[in-house]
Structure formats: structure tokens, C-alpha cells
Amino acid sequence: MTILVIAEHNNAALNAATLNTVAAAKAIGGDIDLLVAGEGCSAVADEAGKVEGVTKVLLADNAAYGHQLPENIALLVAELGKNYSHVICAASTNGKNYMPRVAALLDVDQISEITDVESADTFKRPIYAGNAIATVQSDAAIKVITVRTTGFDPVSAEGGSASVEAVSSAQDAGVSSFVNEELAKSDRPELAGAKIVVSGGRGMQNGENFEMLYTLADKLGAAVGASRAAVDAGFVPNDMQVGQTGKIVAPQLYIAVGISGAIQHLAGMKDSKVIVAINKDEEAPIFGVADYGLVADLFEAIPELESKV
Amino acid sequence: MKILVAVKRVVDYNVKVRVKADNTGVDLANVKMSMNPFCEIAVEEAVRLKEKGVATEVIAVSIGPTAAQEQLRTALALGADRAILVDCAEDLSSLAVAKLLKAVVDKEQPQLVILGKQAIDSDNNQTGQMLAALSGYGQGTFASAVDVSGESVKVTREIDGGLQTVDLKLPAIVTTDLRLNEPRYASLPNIMKAKKKPMEVLKPDDLGVSTASTVKTIKVEAPTARSAGIKVGSVDELVDKLKNQAKVI
């Protein structure tokens, strides 16, 4: 049994999500090959070779894979995947984009966002915005799976000594092309992997008030998230959204500020170790999941909290 | 051009679902059902493209139980021209749904197929991508802007770090993100008119598609409940608890 893990990267560095995905592969058991597909990404392959538990790194370096266009990547992964028992990757927007395409090309069902491995063919995954956990079993010859990275502790980025093997295949479906990208710039830790997350909701009232959360976050070394209400109102960009349709986080500490706690928001953060809610409405559903709740006006409580941590 | 929109009947997004006592699934008896929110956005986008003169016909299709006719009527009331129901079991896998949609695409030959990015019940986020793979079309998933011009469509996508724009040759598949648009409400006159719009009902067998799946659900459980903790009286107390009790800061 050999597992193909597809690495998440930006052509320059390996994304930490890959380490959680390799951990899921280890839980399944068997040899682990790591595929690095991109353009000018040999540095990533070298980094991938050092990841604990990886047997072999496959490097597909070609202009066709530069922007992870799913039409091209899926052809490559489906071609390589035929020789594996499992093909897995992180449930990032990239993974979610090309993996179902891979599954369809291999004519098997895909299992999305597993949070636990019971055995090589049985997995757990949340459904209904995390309000139910399904245990599913696959009898597909090739199991195509995406991994919710917060469900698995990352393996070490050091200690491995896998060889790097070049893959010459250059699949270009010729139906899509990359135009441009607008990436939000931030010095704070990445939301999905941060140990502490401070999130603001509609209660923040406007985008300027988020400065308070940024100051608090910087002091705590935290990432800043947001509810959908805050994103829709234009306070912050959408890549900060935590929830069923945004990012799923499970930090050590999640501080929800001015967030009521709708089902869709809870879906994205209720696996956090400690949840703190600061809200002036003591009936807010967020208090139903918070370990520590403070009923207070956030405009007074946040500056005070910032000065005291 | 012709646009096909796929819609799914799901439990209403405000409903707090309960897992059945025998762990076979969630209890959907007497629960409010609605059109999946992402599908509503897909219908809205198709109707807007028609209003802009880009599309000439909007066809709504649902793969689901007979009751999904309600959701198709809603799509018709929102502005779709006609509807197709592929009447089948409720819990098909995404691959089976994609295969049935592929058969409908082959039959109707739309230039653009718009789907929601995920259904809020199964949370799979697969069908659009699978349909794109089966038809060999380009895909613009998690779209927050769609711009059709000539023989191609530019799709702005919501990705982990921000936004990305891709250019796809038509015909293409687009899946909607929440920020693509704000769906309109159906007016009473439009709901009445929708009753007269044509609806075709097909069976998977008519389309020659097998809906067998390689994945089976063994059990469905409630997640470990998270109970409410304590309310603190002041910021000082909060900081003290975080430092000394939870030890997270």
C-alpha cells in the first residue's frame, strides 16, 4: 500500500498544511510519496524530502502547473494516482479545487475533509456544518481524500531523507489560463495554523475598529479572523472569514469579539481548545460554547484586555 | 447562450439538525427544507446574465427526490425559463450527481453551467469539479465575479490568500461563493407565473447513468458536545483565567 500525498506550496516554500496531511497519511499506514507539482519549485521538493515519514518525492516542474490550474494538475495526479492505494491532499482551496476532478477522472467517489482515520478504508468527516460526524467506508480501488488539517497534528518538517525523482509528464488541458492574483498581505501568523485567533464580527461596527483587534493580536502573536457579517459589511477581506464557508481553525485560544455565534460560524471554530466570547448580548449563542464569557462592551473590554495581557 | 443551473433541496440553513437515535443519519422528518443557499446564488447569477443579454435561456435542473420540484419552482419564480428534475434517491454521491448532470449537459448543450460551491448538508464541495472533469470543461470554482465575453469567461475566485482570476474557454463550469451576488426574492406574481413554466421529469435510467457508489456511510453521530463554561465578571478575571487556569497566554 502506497499513498500519494500532494504537497501544498507556493512554488517557493512548502505550506505547513502539507505536514498535517502527511500525518493523516501516516495514520492510514504505508509508504508515502509526496508530489510537488508547480513551476520553478525544486526548492520545495528539497524541503519536501526532509519531511518526516516521506519515502519519495516526485517533482513535476512545468509551466502548466505553475498556478495549480485544476484542469492541468488533475490530469497529472490522475495519471500518477493509478499506481497508488490512496491519493490525499489538504482541504485547502487548492485541494478542494482539483481533487474532485482527480476523483472523477479515476471514476471513484471522493471523501472530503476527513478529521479522523479509523482504518485504511474507513474515515470520519463532519457533515451539516459540523453538527453531525459521519463514519464512511470506501471500497474504491483508489481512495481519493481531502484532509481537514486541524484534525491531525503535523509531522516534523525535519528528519526525513527522501530522494527526489523528476516526473516528466506535462499535462496541459488547454481550456484555462491564469490571469492574475490579489493576495492579502499580512505579517501576522496564517489564520489556519495560528495558535491564537482573535475574531471580530458585526459588533465591530466598521473596518477602522478592527485596528483594536490587530493591536491585541500583535501583542498575543495571534492571527485575526472574522465572521461572515464582518466580511459582508466590508470591514475586512473575505480570506479572513472563519466558518463553514470560510476557513476552519482549531487554535489553542479563540477570542470571539462581537460575534453572535451562528451555526455557520461555529462550524469553523468549535474545535478550538479554549474559546473566549466577548459580547454585550448575554443571550448570544456564542456563550453556549465559550469556556470563558465576558458580557461587556467590546469597545471598553478590548483596549483593557490589550493593556493587561 | 444557454445556461444550466443545478439546484439542490437541502435542510434549511437555520435548522439545528439532530442525529437519529439509531445513528443512521440526521432526522429530516418534519424539518424545513429549502434551496441550498449557494444554489440560490447560482440561479441569481444566471438570471442576471440573462438580464444583461448574455444568456438567452436559463434552465434549472435538480437531481433529487420528487419533492425537489418545489425548489425548481422557486428557481423558475426567480427567473429560470424551464426546469428539469432527475427524479431519484435523496442521498446520491457527488460523483453520481455529476454523472447525471453530465448526461443533462450532453442533452441540452449549455455554454455555461453554474452550481453552488457546496451543499450545506453533505459539505462535499465536489459536484461542480467532477462535472467539469467528466465533460472536459474548464472550471471556475468559488467564484466571486463572473465576466462572460465572446468565447471565454473570466472568473474571479476566492482562494486561501485572497483572490485569483482565471480565464476559461466556453463551455465552462462555474461554482458560486457567497459573495458572488445577493439573491433576489421571488415576487408573488412571479411565483404564480412559475407554476405555468415547463418542468420535465426524467429518471436516471432514461439518461443511462448508473448511480452506484464506492462509499457507504456506516454511522452518523452527534459531535462531542461542547458545554458552556463560565462567565467572568471583568477583564482582570478573564486575563487571570487565561493565564493561570487555561494557561493559553
Side-chain angles (χ1 to χ4, degrees), chain A residues 229-243:
Chain A
V231 173
D232 279 354
F235 301 171
V236 290
N238 63 275
D239 53 287
M240 284 169 63
Q241 185 182 327
V242 172

PDB file of all heavy atoms in Angstrom, chain A residues 229-243:
ATOM      1  N   ALA A 229     -20.555  38.209   8.731  1.00  0.00           N
ATOM      2  CA  ALA A 229     -21.186  39.526   8.812  1.00  0.00           C
ATOM      3  C   ALA A 229     -20.147  40.632   8.635  1.00  0.00           C
ATOM      4  O   ALA A 229     -20.377  41.601   7.927  1.00  0.00           O
ATOM      5  CB  ALA A 229     -21.896  39.669  10.154  1.00  0.00           C
ATOM      6  N   ALA A 230     -18.977  40.445   9.275  1.00  0.00           N
ATOM      7  CA  ALA A 230     -17.928  41.458   9.185  1.00  0.00           C
ATOM      8  C   ALA A 230     -17.356  41.535   7.772  1.00  0.00           C
ATOM      9  O   ALA A 230     -17.001  42.611   7.291  1.00  0.00           O
ATOM     10  CB  ALA A 230     -16.825  41.154  10.191  1.00  0.00           C
ATOM     11  N   VAL A 231     -17.271  40.396   7.104  1.00  0.00           N
ATOM     12  CA  VAL A 231     -16.748  40.367   5.735  1.00  0.00           C
ATOM     13  C   VAL A 231     -17.756  40.997   4.771  1.00  0.00           C
ATOM     14  O   VAL A 231     -17.405  41.845   3.951  1.00  0.00           O
ATOM     15  CB  VAL A 231     -16.410  38.912   5.307  1.00  0.00           C
ATOM     16  CG1 VAL A 231     -16.028  38.870   3.834  1.00  0.00           C
ATOM     17  CG2 VAL A 231     -15.287  38.359   6.170  1.00  0.00           C
ATOM     18  N   ASP A 232     -19.016  40.605   4.908  1.00  0.00           N
ATOM     19  CA  ASP A 232     -20.049  41.128   4.007  1.00  0.00           C
ATOM     20  C   ASP A 232     -20.232  42.628   4.176  1.00  0.00           C
ATOM     21  O   ASP A 232     -20.552  43.333   3.220  1.00  0.00           O
ATOM     22  CB  ASP A 232     -21.379  40.418   4.255  1.00  0.00           C
ATOM     23  CG  ASP A 232     -21.429  39.062   3.562  1.00  0.00           C
ATOM     24  OD1 ASP A 232     -20.472  38.757   2.814  1.00  0.00           O
ATOM     25  OD2 ASP A 232     -22.405  38.320   3.755  1.00  0.00           O
ATOM     26  N   ALA A 233     -20.031  43.117   5.411  1.00  0.00           N
ATOM     27  CA  ALA A 233     -20.187  44.547   5.640  1.00  0.00           C
ATOM     28  C   ALA A 233     -18.964  45.312   5.139  1.00  0.00           C
ATOM     29  O   ALA A 233     -18.926  46.531   5.199  1.00  0.00           O
ATOM     30  CB  ALA A 233     -20.400  44.811   7.127  1.00  0.00           C
ATOM     31  N   GLY A 234     -17.939  44.577   4.645  1.00  0.00           N
ATOM     32  CA  GLY A 234     -16.769  45.225   4.057  1.00  0.00           C
ATOM     33  C   GLY A 234     -15.734  45.658   5.086  1.00  0.00           C
ATOM     34  O   GLY A 234     -14.813  46.399   4.751  1.00  0.00           O
ATOM     35  N   PHE A 235     -15.871  45.188   6.350  1.00  0.00           N
ATOM     36  CA  PHE A 235     -14.893  45.586   7.375  1.00  0.00           C
ATOM     37  C   PHE A 235     -13.517  45.016   7.033  1.00  0.00           C
ATOM     38  O   PHE A 235     -12.496  45.655   7.234  1.00  0.00           O
ATOM     39  CB  PHE A 235     -15.279  45.063   8.768  1.00  0.00           C
ATOM     40  CG  PHE A 235     -16.629  45.521   9.283  1.00  0.00           C
ATOM     41  CD1 PHE A 235     -17.171  44.968  10.433  1.00  0.00           C
ATOM     42  CD2 PHE A 235     -17.362  46.511   8.629  1.00  0.00           C
ATOM     43  CE1 PHE A 235     -18.403  45.378  10.916  1.00  0.00           C
ATOM     44  CE2 PHE A 235     -18.596  46.927   9.105  1.00  0.00           C
ATOM     45  CZ  PHE A 235     -19.113  46.347  10.253  1.00  0.00           C
ATOM     46  N   VAL A 236     -13.483  43.767   6.569  1.00  0.00           N
ATOM     47  CA  VAL A 236     -12.222  43.054   6.313  1.00  0.00           C
ATOM     48  C   VAL A 236     -12.366  42.190   5.065  1.00  0.00           C
ATOM     49  O   VAL A 236     -13.479  41.885   4.654  1.00  0.00           O
ATOM     50  CB  VAL A 236     -11.861  42.134   7.513  1.00  0.00           C
ATOM     51  CG1 VAL A 236     -11.465  42.934   8.738  1.00  0.00           C
ATOM     52  CG2 VAL A 236     -12.998  41.187   7.842  1.00  0.00           C
ATOM     53  N   PRO A 237     -11.228  41.782   4.446  1.00  0.00           N
ATOM     54  CA  PRO A 237     -11.319  40.946   3.248  1.00  0.00           C
ATOM     55  C   PRO A 237     -11.816  39.529   3.562  1.00  0.00           C
ATOM     56  O   PRO A 237     -11.704  39.049   4.696  1.00  0.00           O
ATOM     57  CB  PRO A 237      -9.891  40.902   2.707  1.00  0.00           C
ATOM     58  CG  PRO A 237      -9.017  41.312   3.833  1.00  0.00           C
ATOM     59  CD  PRO A 237      -9.835  42.175   4.733  1.00  0.00           C
ATOM     60  N   ASN A 238     -12.358  38.870   2.526  1.00  0.00           N
ATOM     61  CA  ASN A 238     -13.011  37.580   2.719  1.00  0.00           C
ATOM     62  C   ASN A 238     -12.082  36.446   3.151  1.00  0.00           C
ATOM     63  O   ASN A 238     -12.520  35.471   3.733  1.00  0.00           O
ATOM     64  CB  ASN A 238     -13.744  37.184   1.451  1.00  0.00           C
ATOM     65  CG  ASN A 238     -12.798  36.986   0.297  1.00  0.00           C
ATOM     66  OD1 ASN A 238     -12.436  37.941  -0.374  1.00  0.00           O
ATOM     67  ND2 ASN A 238     -12.357  35.768   0.081  1.00  0.00           N
ATOM     68  N   ASP A 239     -10.753  36.589   2.871  1.00  0.00           N
ATOM     69  CA  ASP A 239      -9.877  35.480   3.251  1.00  0.00           C
ATOM     70  C   ASP A 239      -9.697  35.413   4.768  1.00  0.00           C
ATOM     71  O   ASP A 239      -9.054  34.503   5.276  1.00  0.00           O
ATOM     72  CB  ASP A 239      -8.528  35.576   2.532  1.00  0.00           C
ATOM     73  CG  ASP A 239      -7.873  36.925   2.722  1.00  0.00           C
ATOM     74  OD1 ASP A 239      -8.359  37.895   2.111  1.00  0.00           O
ATOM     75  OD2 ASP A 239      -6.912  37.014   3.496  1.00  0.00           O
ATOM     76  N   MET A 240     -10.288  36.360   5.496  1.00  0.00           N
ATOM     77  CA  MET A 240     -10.227  36.321   6.962  1.00  0.00           C
ATOM     78  C   MET A 240     -11.432  35.598   7.562  1.00  0.00           C
ATOM     79  O   MET A 240     -11.515  35.411   8.769  1.00  0.00           O
ATOM     80  CB  MET A 240     -10.161  37.736   7.533  1.00  0.00           C
ATOM     81  CG  MET A 240      -8.776  38.370   7.370  1.00  0.00           C
ATOM     82  SD  MET A 240      -8.774  40.118   7.753  1.00  0.00           S
ATOM     83  CE  MET A 240      -9.235  40.131   9.472  1.00  0.00           C
ATOM     84  N   GLN A 241     -12.371  35.187   6.709  1.00  0.00           N
ATOM     85  CA  GLN A 241     -13.615  34.605   7.235  1.00  0.00           C
ATOM     86  C   GLN A 241     -13.419  33.218   7.836  1.00  0.00           C
ATOM     87  O   GLN A 241     -12.854  32.323   7.210  1.00  0.00           O
ATOM     88  CB  GLN A 241     -14.669  34.544   6.132  1.00  0.00           C
ATOM     89  CG  GLN A 241     -16.016  34.062   6.645  1.00  0.00           C
ATOM     90  CD  GLN A 241     -17.046  33.957   5.550  1.00  0.00           C
ATOM     91  OE1 GLN A 241     -17.047  34.732   4.598  1.00  0.00           O
ATOM     92  NE2 GLN A 241     -17.912  32.978   5.658  1.00  0.00           N
ATOM     93  N   VAL A 242     -13.922  33.052   9.050  1.00  0.00           N
ATOM     94  CA  VAL A 242     -13.896  31.755   9.723  1.00  0.00           C
ATOM     95  C   VAL A 242     -15.306  31.187   9.691  1.00  0.00           C
ATOM     96  O   VAL A 242     -16.256  31.887  10.030  1.00  0.00           O
ATOM     97  CB  VAL A 242     -13.427  31.924  11.192  1.00  0.00           C
ATOM     98  CG1 VAL A 242     -13.584  30.631  11.964  1.00  0.00           C
ATOM     99  CG2 VAL A 242     -11.980  32.400  11.235  1.00  0.00           C
ATOM    100  N   GLY A 243     -15.449  29.930   9.282  1.00  0.00           N
ATOM    101  CA  GLY A 243     -16.774  29.315   9.291  1.00  0.00           C
ATOM    102  C   GLY A 243     -16.919  28.211   8.271  1.00  0.00           C
ATOM    103  O   GLY A 243     -15.950  27.836   7.612  1.00  0.00           O
TER     104      GLY A 243
END
